[in-house]
Amino acid sequence: MAKATFNSDPAVEACTWLVDLIKQGHSPANVGQDADYLAFKSGKNAFTWNGIWQINGLKKSPNVQWGVAPLPQIGSQKAAWANSHNFTIVKQRSANADKTAGAKVFINWLSQHSLDWAKGGQVPARKAVRESSEFTALTEVNALAPELEYAAFPPAAPGLGEVILTFYSAFNEAALGKKPPKQALDDGVAKANKQLEDNRKKYGN
């Protein structure tokens, strides 16, 4: 990954649209982290735009009437932010073929049995599991599975985690009214590009 682009025109447009929702009174200003979710659970918020990880927490709140729906389309195409848990076989200096084969068998077994993963509030990567009747019966998680078709994952790059945190900080500065959207994203990109350059020196190309 050569450069950060979250200050591109479409990104600024999207950030401005969200900030304008606050300015127009659709959301109170200076909302703290998870305040929207807590307000939803206490019946003070009509909906919460949150993550799949909240499903099981809501199931433990019998007084809350709730349901799950895919993200609405905003802009010219459907999109959903995505992340995942990953199993990785790290390249060893002295490879052991038997251990590598054993790791592959173990990972495959977990994938085949990922219905339990879904019960924990995750969409399984394995298509056969997603198409099973058992998964379909998991109403809430199953409702979000179609988003996989247009899920946007962060690029795989060493040290990217800190760059993503820089994006979050830049976006928060805009959402909290500390900076105009374009300035917040421009400043964030300047910092992110420095981080990416440092990562190239640290990890190589």
Side-chain angles (χ1 to χ4, degrees):
M1 184 173 177
K3 288 187 176 181
T5 59
F6 58 79
N7 66 336
S8 64
D9 289 345
V12 173
E13 182 183 357
C15 185
T16 301
W17 181 83
L18 286 166
V19 170
D20 285 348
L21 291 178
I22 300 168
K23 291 180 178 179
Q24 293 162 7
H26 299 293
S27 169
N30 298 315
V31 173
Q33 183 172 340
D34 287 334
D36 57 328
Y37 175 66
L38 295 174
F40 179 77
K41 288 184 72 174
S42 63
K44 297 178 181 178
N45 199 5
F47 69 92
T48 179
W49 186 315
N50 215 302
I52 200 168
W53 51 84
Q54 302 290 22
I55 289 173
N56 285 344
L58 287 168
K59 286 183 176 180
K60 296 175 183 176
S61 303
N63 295 327
V64 181
Q65 293 184 343
W66 60 283
V68 173
L71 293 173
Q73 180 175 333
I74 298 171
S76 60
Q77 62 188 46
K78 291 183 177 181
W81 174 89
N83 204 340
S84 68
H85 302 85
N86 298 285
F87 295 101
T88 304
I89 300 176
V90 180
K91 184 176 181 180
Q92 303 291 330
R93 287 195 176 121
S94 55
N96 182 308
D98 291 337
K99 289 182 179 179
T100 300
K104 289 178 179 178
V105 169
F106 175 68
I107 292 170
N108 185 55
W109 183 90
L110 282 174
S111 178
Q112 289 172 334
H113 294 82
S114 54
L115 185 66
D116 289 331
W117 200 268
K119 290 176 182 176
Q122 307 293 328
V123 176
R126 199 177 192 100
K127 185 178 180 183
V129 175
R130 294 197 309 271
E131 292 177 345
S132 69
S133 58
E134 293 89 349
F135 179 72
T136 304
L138 301 175
T139 309
E140 295 84 10
V141 180
N142 183 56
L144 301 177
E147 292 182 323
L148 288 181
E149 297 297 324
Y150 46 85
F153 287 86
L160 191 68
E162 63 185 14
V163 180
I164 291 176
L165 288 177
T166 296
F167 161 68
Y168 291 159
S169 296
F171 176 81
N172 280 337
E173 286 187 318
L176 295 175
K178 294 180 179 179
K179 293 180 181 178
K182 180 161 176 40
Q183 181 189 345
L185 297 182
D186 281 345
D187 292 349
V189 162
K191 182 178 179 180
N193 282 335
K194 177 69 168 61
Q195 291 172 317
L196 289 169
E197 178 61 30
D198 291 344
N199 286 343
R200 280 191 289 276
K201 294 175 182 175
K202 189 186 303 183
Y203 301 110
N205 294 326

